[in-house]
């Protein structure tokens, strides 16, 4: 399929959610039996600055990005709790390369969301402080994923945590330190777990929380064919979550294998109009509940390449925002991300965003 023409090419974008990794030395998987999540990202075994900039430079006006932890570049030795700091050290170096201007106008990794295990309770404080030092002024928050389902076929290789992480007293002992250190929290969980995040947001109204991937609707495993059935449940939980003014939401991640929309791994690749049609009920519900000032479009690349390329993804978002006012578009595509992650862009880029 020919590359789509870029819609509204001058619209400034801050991409608030992408990863960088190098998994070329990871053990090979059998394509015949691997989980669809692995199938989707197999072409992106290497996704570093060059690959990111090829995507951000493919036609849309991406002025800045936020890196979100993905378990890459951890230290090989030293205290286990501090090993995730290695990821932040690496990403801060990438951000410094980009900030030099030698790699083009996009300020990659202007914000960094890393990892610290909040189950350490009060013991997480030295890890958070180390992350802040390693981030060189760019470290903005952490993410602990709580994604879990009784059906292991849903998450496949991402079955990593026990149920009820966000409800755990020990987790909350660690969580309570975030606001004091000026850190936000990115939450990734699955649609049936949204009540756990609602409870967490109510318990910590002073902590900025960002819901990743609109709460990950499910259409795989025991949820196959049930997206429409479960939509009202998801919608009610989203509306309840939005009552907490400390919560913002990322509009994206709907190209992942867990949602299993018809566009996932489709051949030929779905055009942006189809993507927009599939995702519209979720995106419009979030904007209605949270308001544009608490919503931000995200790429979730390279994970979302299972349904489309970067160029097509942002065209789909622009279709979805077609009827938004200029102020709403500014919030959705750059303003909310810049504010929530407190991005320090140049005056010119800040004005554009």
């Amino acid at each position: 399929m020919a590359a789509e023409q870029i819609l509204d090419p001058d619209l400034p974008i801050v991409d608030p959610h992408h990863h960088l990794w190098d998994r070329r030395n990871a053990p090979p998987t059998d394509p015949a039996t691997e989980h669809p999540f692995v199938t989707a990202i197999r072409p992106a075994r290497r996704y570093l600055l060059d690959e990111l900039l090829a995507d951000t430079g493919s036609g849309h006006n991406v002025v800045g990005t936020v890196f979100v932890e993905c378990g890459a570049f951890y230290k090989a030795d030293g205290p286990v709790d501090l090993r995730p700091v290695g990821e932040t050290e690496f990403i801060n170096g990438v951000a410094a390369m980009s900030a030099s201007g030698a790699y083009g106008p996009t300020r990659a990794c202007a914000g960094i969301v890393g990892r610290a295990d909040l189950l350490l309770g009060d013991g997480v404080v030295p890890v958070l402080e180390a992350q802040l030092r390693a981030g060189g002024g760019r470290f903005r928050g952490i993410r602990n994923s709580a994604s879990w389902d009784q059906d292991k076929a849903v998450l496949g290789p991402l079955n990593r945590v026990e149920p009820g992480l966000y409800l755990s007293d020990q987790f909350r002992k660690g969580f309570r330190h975030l606001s004091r250190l000026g850190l936000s929290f990115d939450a990734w969980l699955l649609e049936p777990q949204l009540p756990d995040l609602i409870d967490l947001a109510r318990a910590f109204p002073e902590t900025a929380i960002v819901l990743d991937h609109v709460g990950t609707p499910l259409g795989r495993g025991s949820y196959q064919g049930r997206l429409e059935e479960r939509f009202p449940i998801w919608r009610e939980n989203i509306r309840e979550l939005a009552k907490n003014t400390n919560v913002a939401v990322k509009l994206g991640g709907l190209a992942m294998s867990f949602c299993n929309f018809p566009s996932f791994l489709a051949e030929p690749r779905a055009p942006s109009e189809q993507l927009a049609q599939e995702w519209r009920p979720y995106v419009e519900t979030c904007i209605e509940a949270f308001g544009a000032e608490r919503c931000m479009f995200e790429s979730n690349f390279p994970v979302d390449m299972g349904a489309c390329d970067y160029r097509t993804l942002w065209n789909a978002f622009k279709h979805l925002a077609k009827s938004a006012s200029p102020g709403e578009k500014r919030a959705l595509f750059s303003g909310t991300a810049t504010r929530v992650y407190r991005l320090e862009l140049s005056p010119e880029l800040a004005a554009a965003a």
Side-chain angles (χ1 to χ4, degrees):
M1 186 175 70
E4 292 190 8
Q5 182 177 351
I6 299 293
L7 303 177
D8 200 358
D10 295 327
L11 178 67
I13 293 170
V14 171
D15 182 351
H17 195 113
H18 70 82
H19 309 295
L20 296 179
W21 60 47
D22 191 342
R23 295 178 173 169
R24 289 174 293 177
N25 293 325
T29 57
D30 181 355
T33 59
E34 68 188 7
H35 190 275
F37 174 84
V38 179
T39 304
I41 64 172
R42 187 165 7 105
R45 294 179 71 83
R46 181 189 194 274
Y47 196 80
L48 296 174
L49 181 60
D50 288 347
E51 289 77 16
L52 174 67
L53 293 181
D55 280 337
T56 60
S58 60
H60 295 284
N61 182 23
V62 182
V63 299
T65 77
V66 176
F67 168 86
V68 177
E69 64 86 26
C70 56
F73 310 110
Y74 281 17
K75 297 184 180 198
D77 46 32
V80 173
D81 297 336
L82 289 170
R83 291 182 186 179
V85 177
E87 182 176 59
T88 300
E89 290 174 340
F90 176 84
I91 298 302
N92 188 48
V94 171
M97 292 170 64
S98 178
S100 73
Y103 298 85
T106 301
R107 293 298 173 257
C109 309
I112 300 172
V113 176
R115 175 171 171 78
D117 184 2
L118 294 178
L119 284 173
L120 293 169
D122 292 337
V124 79
V125 173
V127 183
L128 297 174
E129 292 173 342
Q131 288 282 32
L132 282 162
R133 290 192 297 272
R138 299 182 176 94
F139 196 80
R140 293 294 179 260
I142 70 160
R143 180 170 78 157
N144 278 189
S145 297
S147 297
W148 175 90
D149 194 82
Q150 187 172 358
D151 180 2
K152 301 305 180 185
V154 173
L155 284 169
L158 298 186
N159 285 297
R160 297 171 179 168
V161 301
E162 296 299 317
L165 177 65
Y166 294 166
L167 302 177
S168 161
D169 289 341
Q170 185 66 10
F171 173 88
R172 292 185 177 200
K173 285 181 182 178
F175 191 94
R176 67 187 178 92
H177 294 286
L178 296 179
S179 63
R180 179 179 61 84
L181 293 171
L183 296 173
S184 61
F185 181 75
D186 265 60
W188 181 43
L189 75 176
L190 307 181
E191 173 263 304
Q193 299 176 283
L194 280 168
D196 293 4
L197 185 60
I198 293 169
D199 191 89
L200 182 70
R202 288 171 178 166
F204 295 91
E206 73 287 355
T207 303
I209 296 173
V210 181
L211 171 63
D212 292 350
H213 316 327
V214 305
T216 316
L218 297 179
R220 182 163 301 285
S222 59
Y223 299 90
Q224 182 81 27
R226 297 176 62 195
L227 277 170
E228 185 175 351
E229 169 197 337
R230 294 197 61 87
F231 179 81
I233 303 170
W234 169 86
R235 180 178 57 201
E236 183 59 32
N237 281 321
I238 285 294
R239 289 171 175 172
E240 193 64 31
L241 181 63
K243 294 177 183 177
N244 300 280
T245 57
N246 57 319
V247 181
V249 58
K250 289 179 180 174
L251 308 177
L254 292 165
M256 292 193 293
S257 63
F258 317 116
C259 308
N260 202 22
F261 283 102
S263 55
F264 179 70
L265 295 181
E267 290 295 342
R269 304 282 264 180
S272 59
E273 293 92 336
Q274 178 183 336
L275 298 174
Q277 188 65 24
E278 291 177 358
W279 303 343
R280 185 178 302 280
Y282 297 91
V283 170
E284 290 187 345
T285 296
C286 285
I287 295 173
E288 178 185 355
F290 284 86
E293 70 280 359
R294 288 197 284 147
C295 291
M296 55 186 115
F297 286 118
E298 54 156 336
S299 77
N300 191 35
F301 254 60
V303 178
D304 276 22
M305 68 187 302
C308 58
D309 58 26
Y310 197 88
R311 181 185 182 106
T312 305
L313 180 91
W314 287 100
N315 266 359
F317 293 153
K318 289 175 179 179
H319 281 301
L320 287 165
K322 186 176 181 180
S323 62
S325 70
E328 289 169 334
K329 285 184 180 180
R330 180 185 176 96
L332 293 167
F333 286 94
S334 62
T336 301
T338 300
R339 186 188 75 254
V340 169
Y341 289 114
R342 296 167 286 125
L343 301 184
E344 297 177 0
L345 302 171
S346 69
E348 295 78 15
L349 292 178

